[in-house]
Amino acid sequence: MTFIIAEAGVNHNGDIKLAEKLINVASKSGADAIKFQAWKAKNLVTHNAPLATYQKINTSGFNNQYEMLKQLELKESDHIYLKSRCEEMNIEYLSSAFDLEGLDMLNRLGLGKLKIPSGEITNLPFLKKAGSIDWEIILSTGMSDINEIKDALYWLKFSGKKRENISILQCTTQYPAPFKSINLSAMKTLSRTFNTKIGYSDHTNGITAAIAAVAMGAQIIEKHITLDRNLEGP
């Protein structure tokens, strides 16, 4: 059975009512979980960090990354509320953390799983704390090489995480990712090298790549969702 994660990401645009609607459609679609993101903008970017090209195209009114991320930031009370809505709708609530404060907050929520985003795969303090908490780890690998993945797994296990409680996702960090860049065969390399559960975080358009990944043995699929491609937001 493949575990399907509907990645809400920041597609709620900072609006809790929109986040609720995303939970509702993810539950009705049959997804096993829906995933949000936990961060403090002040911990991630400087006040003059420039927007990425796709963010400039898809948003308006923001002068930099800090302004955009601050608008999209969810408070702890928001996460608590959204988790309760997930329980009512019979879908698992998940989140990525991007800083140590986020890890602490998600731990207080009592989540059974943690998604480590690609950008934190070389963040040693983050990995050590994540590995010490009693939850399953889903590790995304966008932009990383095999040695960085090896080091990340070392520190997760050094901090107390057992191999059977770690899954690794092949991921191409492009939005959207062209088919020529997705390299699904990397899942086989990851499985053979690290002997963990494997999956695929899909940034392509459509569902073809996700279906192919399942056929190749993916035990987890993560796919971004939105209610409307014409909505504001990055």
Side-chain angles (χ1 to χ4, degrees):
M1 183 69 72
T2 303
F3 188 77
I4 305 295
I5 302 171
E7 165 67 303
V10 297
N11 287 342
H12 51 77
N13 292 338
D15 182 344
I16 296 303
K17 293 299 183 183
L18 186 54
E20 282 189 84
K21 291 179 181 178
L22 286 164
I23 293 170
N24 186 47
V25 298
S27 177
K28 287 182 177 179
S29 77
D32 297 291
I34 183 168
K35 190 178 77 63
F36 293 90
Q37 298 177 351
W39 73 72
K40 295 290 186 183
K42 65 183 176 65
N43 294 336
L44 292 190
V45 294
T46 64
H47 284 257
N48 58 359
L51 293 164
T53 300
Y54 77 90
Q55 294 166 344
K56 292 177 182 177
I57 293 170
N58 294 319
T59 64
S60 60
F62 300 119
N63 296 310
N64 51 58
Q65 284 272 348
Y66 180 85
E67 289 181 6
M68 183 188 71
L69 291 175
K70 190 64 181 173
Q71 176 68 33
L72 300 170
E73 192 177 284
L74 295 174
K75 301 186 293 293
E76 181 167 356
S77 58
D78 296 329
H79 286 276
I80 292 170
Y81 177 71
L82 293 174
K83 182 173 182 286
S84 70
R85 296 296 290 137
C86 284
E87 290 167 354
E88 292 171 9
M89 296 184 195
N90 197 32
I91 186 170
E92 186 172 354
Y93 177 86
L94 295 181
S95 181
S96 298
F98 292 76
D99 55 35
L100 298 180
E101 283 186 55
L103 286 176
D104 286 334
M105 187 272 291
L106 295 178
N107 187 29
R108 288 194 293 272
L109 260 64
L111 302 188
K113 299 181 182 68
L114 171 74
K115 165 75 183 298
I116 296 180
S118 298
E120 308 312 316
I121 199 167
T122 57
N123 185 339
L124 177 55
F126 183 97
L127 293 171
K128 290 174 73 174
K129 174 165 253 186
S132 69
I133 297 171
D134 185 22
W135 46 26
E136 293 181 39
I137 295 287
I138 301 171
L139 179 68
S140 194
T141 61
M143 301 182 291
S144 61
D145 62 34
I146 203 78
N147 287 320
E148 289 170 331
I149 300 169
K150 180 179 179 181
D151 289 345
L153 289 177
Y154 170 83
W155 287 110
L156 288 171
K157 289 186 284 185
F158 176 86
S159 304
K161 195 60 56 190
K162 295 181 179 179
R163 185 184 299 270
E164 57 265 31
N165 291 326
I166 301 172
S167 302
I168 304 176
L169 303 187
Q170 163 63 1
C171 176
T172 299
T173 307
Q174 288 180 274
Y175 301 90
F179 283 102
K180 65 182 181 180
S181 72
I182 61 177
N183 191 20
L184 292 180
S185 296
M187 291 191 303
K188 299 289 188 182
T189 301
L190 294 170
S191 177
R192 183 172 61 250
T193 304
F194 300 116
N195 191 30
T196 64
K197 290 177 282 189
I198 56 168
Y200 177 53
S201 181
D202 185 12
H203 293 167
T204 65
N205 287 320
I207 62 173
T208 304
I211 292 171
V214 173
M216 295 176 66
Q219 294 161 282
I220 299 172
I221 291 291
E222 179 184 66
K223 184 72 176 175
H224 286 261
I225 63 167
T226 184
L227 298 177
D228 186 342
R229 293 174 186 266
N230 297 312
L231 286 171
E232 282 287 322

